[in-house]
Amino acid sequence: MLYSLPVYSVGDIIDTWVYRQGIQNFQFSLATAVGLFKGLIGLVDCCCRNRLARRFVGTGLY
């Protein structure tokens, strides 16, 4: 209820922006590209943090 048009500029996150672009504005290719890029950044972040955890703590996620 608090997330409406007047607060998009300050309350928007990548997931809701991708939803609006893909579903509401029919820009499927842009939404797909942004979603894949977000997933790639998350994968790289997870791998880097796992490597740092193994270096400093001695154990990691995998």
Side-chain angles (χ1 to χ4, degrees), residues 28-46:
F28 301 115
S29 59
L30 176 66
T32 301
V34 172
L36 287 173
F37 186 71
K38 180 181 169 269
L40 180 65
I41 295 296
L43 177 66
V44 169
D45 183 44
C46 184

Side-chain angles (χ1 to χ4, degrees), residues 4 7 11 13 15-18 22-23 26 28 39-42 47-48 50 52 55-59 62:
S4 60
V7 296
I13 61 172
D15 293 324
T16 55
W17 184 85
V18 166
I23 302 298
F26 300 108
F28 301 115
L40 180 65
I41 295 296
C47 291
C48 289
N50 187 48
L52 285 172
R55 180 179 293 162
F56 291 116
V57 180
T59 185
Y62 50 89

